[in-house]
């Protein structure tokens, strides 16, 4: 089955390949490590031009001194006997970890070209020098060889990033890959690439508990991810990319520790002036949530925001503007209940006269806001209960 996997990857990265691997991973769970290893190698070569491999400094230094094949031989139980028995060109390693049948090993060492299988991953090597000594090139996996032959275009990059967001690479530490490989695509010239990079980063960091802690190896990476996403949400020229970054920040409640920094909060408040309403609405929910994390930096600007929204609601000329103001007020009340409590009376007095005057859709949103205000500060609504009941009956 592993040989079939290698043959599947010779077609190059495609959506059909990803769909097939997803089915295979679901139905034959034993193949999950092999599938993910090959996918990460192919995606890494497309994105950063090198195969993926978790950082292992001690093994890296050892491999530099011994060579790839020698390292795997050294790590294979009973490797010496197996290697000796295969010196004439046949035989496999212990437990199937080292197969040198295609190496053409002679008395002089590694000679002719052929195929080498290491830990079930088929590798190929160029023809060597039969005169003795090591061959002219190290074994290269079929996946790596195929990935190196792919012409990298924007569409291929989008597909590679989409692949990262389609599989759960829970067994691998992708910290350095995220930092050095994926985040750079947030500055790519093509908007679809930037948007897919946000989705890939979102999927990786939100599905791995490593980045949700406030201490340890994932803190620095999580902080850098949040900072880059905030900058993208503020400065990107494409509205869909800004919205994707804003939604990522909304979903990443585990990153409030990083988003609550003063610099990030100041940048988020700039987004409340975005031309796209969905971006403003999403970021306002994030800011309301951050009021509990860093109220000293959030509340002064949030008070001004409440006054600004009430003023816009009072003097808006169109129902669309009023409806947007109501949605923003509603989001703020739901996201920062404790901090909005002192302004419940002012908000309610501004809303109440407009329940009877507006169209049905606007009246419905106003009543939803009244319900949210009642949950936060119901005692402030008691003096207006008669008028409120009359407005509710008229709306019905």
């Amino acid at each position: 089955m592993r040989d079939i996997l290698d043959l599947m990857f010779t077609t190059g990265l495609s959506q059909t390949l990803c769909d097939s691997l997803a089915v295979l991973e679901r139905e034959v769970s034993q193949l999950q490590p092999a599938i993910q290893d090959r996918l990460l190698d192919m995606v890494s070569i497309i994105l950063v031009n090198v195969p993926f491999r978790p950082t292992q400094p001690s093994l890296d230094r050892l491999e530099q001194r011994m060579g790839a094949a020698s390292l795997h031989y050294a790590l294979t139980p009973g490797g010496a006997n197996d290697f000796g028995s295969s010196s004439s060109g046949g035989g496999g390693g212990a437990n199937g970890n080292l197969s040198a049948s295609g190496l053409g090993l002679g008395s002089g060492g590694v000679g002719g070209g052929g195929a080498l299988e290491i830990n079930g991953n088929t590798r190929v090597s160029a023809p060597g020098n039969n005169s003795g000594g090591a061959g002219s090139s190290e074994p290269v996996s079929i996946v790596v060889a195929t990935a190196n032959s792919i012409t990298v275009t924007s569409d291929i990059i989008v597909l590679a990033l989409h692949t990262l967001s389609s599989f759960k690479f829970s067994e691998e530490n992708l910290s350095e890959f995220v930092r050095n490989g994926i985040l750079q695509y947030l500055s790519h010239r093509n908007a679809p690439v930037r948007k897919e990079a946000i989705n890939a980063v979102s999927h990786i960091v939100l599905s791995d508990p490593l980045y949700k802690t406030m201490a340890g190896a994932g803190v620095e990476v999580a902080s850098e991810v949040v900072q880059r996403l905030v900058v993208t949400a503020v400065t990107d020229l494409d509205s869909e990319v800004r919205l994707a970054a804003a939604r990522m920040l909304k979903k990443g409640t585990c990153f409030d520790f990083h988003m609550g920094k003063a610099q990030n909060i100041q940048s988020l408040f700039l987004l409340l002036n975005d031309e796209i309403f969905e971006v403003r609405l999403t970021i306002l929910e994030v800011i309301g949530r951050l009021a509990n994390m860093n109220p000293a930096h959030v509340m002064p600007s949030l008070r001004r925001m409440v006054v600004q929204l009430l003023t816009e609601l009072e003097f808006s000329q169109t129902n669309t503007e009023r409806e947007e103001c109501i949605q923003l007020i509603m989001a703020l009340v739901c996201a920062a209940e404790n901090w909005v409590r002192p302004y419940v009376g002012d908000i309610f007095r501004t809303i109440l006269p407009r329940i009877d005057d507006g169209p049905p859709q606007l009246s419905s949103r106003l009543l939803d806001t009244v319900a949210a205000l009642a949950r936060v500060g119901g005692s402030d609504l008691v003096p207006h209960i008669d008028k409120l009941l009359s407005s509710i009956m008229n709306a019905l």
Side-chain angles (χ1 to χ4, degrees), residues 61-123:
R61 289 193 295 269
L62 184 60
E63 185 170 357
Q64 288 175 1
R65 294 181 359 212
M66 300 179 63
S70 299
L71 175 60
H72 286 283
Y73 154 70
L75 296 178
T76 303
N81 295 332
D82 293 327
F83 196 81
S85 65
S86 62
S87 61
S88 61
N95 300 322
N97 286 334
L98 180 63
S99 176
S101 59
L103 280 175
L105 296 175
S107 60
V110 181
L116 172 67
E117 184 176 320
I118 298 176
N119 293 329
N121 191 4
T122 304
R123 296 173 179 265

Side-chain angles (χ1 to χ4, degrees), residues 35-356:
I35 291 173
Q36 293 191 356
D37 286 345
R38 288 159 171 79
L39 268 179
L40 284 174
D41 270 345
M42 180 163 283
V43 168
S44 179
I45 289 176
I46 291 173
L47 296 180
V48 295
N49 204 32
V50 292
F52 174 84
R53 181 181 176 186
T55 303
Q56 304 176 72
S58 58
L59 289 182
D60 287 342
R61 289 193 295 269
L62 184 60
E63 185 170 357
Q64 288 175 1
R65 294 181 359 212
M66 300 179 63
S70 299
L71 175 60
H72 286 283
Y73 154 70
L75 296 178
T76 303
N81 295 332
D82 293 327
F83 196 81
S85 65
S86 62
S87 61
S88 61
N95 300 322
N97 286 334
L98 180 63
S99 176
S101 59
L103 280 175
L105 296 175
S107 60
V110 181
L116 172 67
E117 184 176 320
I118 298 176
N119 293 329
N121 191 4
T122 304
R123 296 173 179 265
V124 296
S125 59
N129 183 3
N130 290 325
S131 61
S136 60
S137 63
E138 295 183 357
V140 179
S141 76
I142 291 178
V143 175
V144 172
T146 302
N148 282 325
S149 66
I150 296 176
T151 302
V152 179
T153 63
S154 295
D155 291 338
I156 290 296
I157 294 175
V158 169
L159 181 58
L161 293 170
H162 180 71
T163 301
L164 289 174
S165 60
S166 302
F167 290 83
K168 292 184 178 181
F169 300 99
S170 55
E171 300 300 323
E172 300 287 356
N173 182 358
L174 302 180
S175 297
E176 293 304 317
F177 187 47
V178 168
R179 173 186 289 176
N180 301 321
I182 304 177
L183 287 181
Q184 62 178 334
Y185 286 96
L186 294 178
S187 304
H188 197 271
R189 64 181 181 274
N190 288 345
V193 173
R194 300 197 298 272
K195 183 177 179 181
E196 204 59 55
I198 292 173
N199 294 335
V201 170
S202 172
H203 175 77
I204 292 172
V205 300
L206 292 181
S207 60
D208 193 335
L210 173 69
Y211 306 103
K212 300 179 182 180
T213 59
M214 295 185 185
V219 173
E220 188 175 348
V221 176
S223 178
E224 186 171 349
V225 167
V226 168
Q227 187 173 357
R228 290 293 301 274
L229 287 174
V230 170
V231 171
T232 300
V234 174
T235 63
D236 201 281
L237 298 178
D238 190 274
S239 60
E240 291 188 3
V241 176
R242 296 199 305 275
L243 182 58
R247 286 174 174 168
M248 160 60 183
L249 296 174
K250 178 183 176 182
K251 288 195 301 182
T253 56
C254 55
F255 300 136
D256 286 355
F257 172 74
H258 305 288
M259 283 190 285
K261 296 178 180 178
Q263 179 182 357
N264 291 333
I265 290 175
Q266 292 174 2
S267 299
L268 290 176
F269 270 104
L270 295 177
L271 278 171
L272 295 179
N273 300 312
D274 196 277
E275 59 185 4
I276 304 301
F277 171 71
E278 286 294 329
V279 175
R280 300 200 304 272
L281 180 62
T282 303
I283 290 299
L284 189 59
E285 293 176 356
V286 174
I287 291 175
R289 195 177 71 220
L290 293 178
N292 296 318
M293 179 63 63
N294 192 348
H297 285 91
V298 173
M299 287 312 300
S301 298
L302 204 58
R303 294 188 188 99
R304 290 195 296 270
M305 187 65 191
V306 171
V307 174
Q308 178 182 339
L309 289 175
L310 293 179
T311 303
E312 290 180 4
L313 178 61
E314 187 172 357
F315 296 102
S316 295
Q317 300 298 316
T318 65
N319 290 328
T320 301
E321 293 177 350
R322 295 191 185 99
E323 188 172 343
E324 289 183 354
C325 288
I326 287 299
Q327 290 186 60
L328 292 173
I329 292 173
M330 178 76 169
L332 184 58
V333 171
C334 294
E337 294 182 354
N338 295 333
W339 303 101
V340 175
R341 173 70 178 78
Y343 309 101
V344 167
D346 294 332
I347 296 174
F348 179 74
R349 283 189 292 272
T350 304
I351 288 176
L352 187 58
R354 287 160 180 78
I355 296 178
D356 298 330

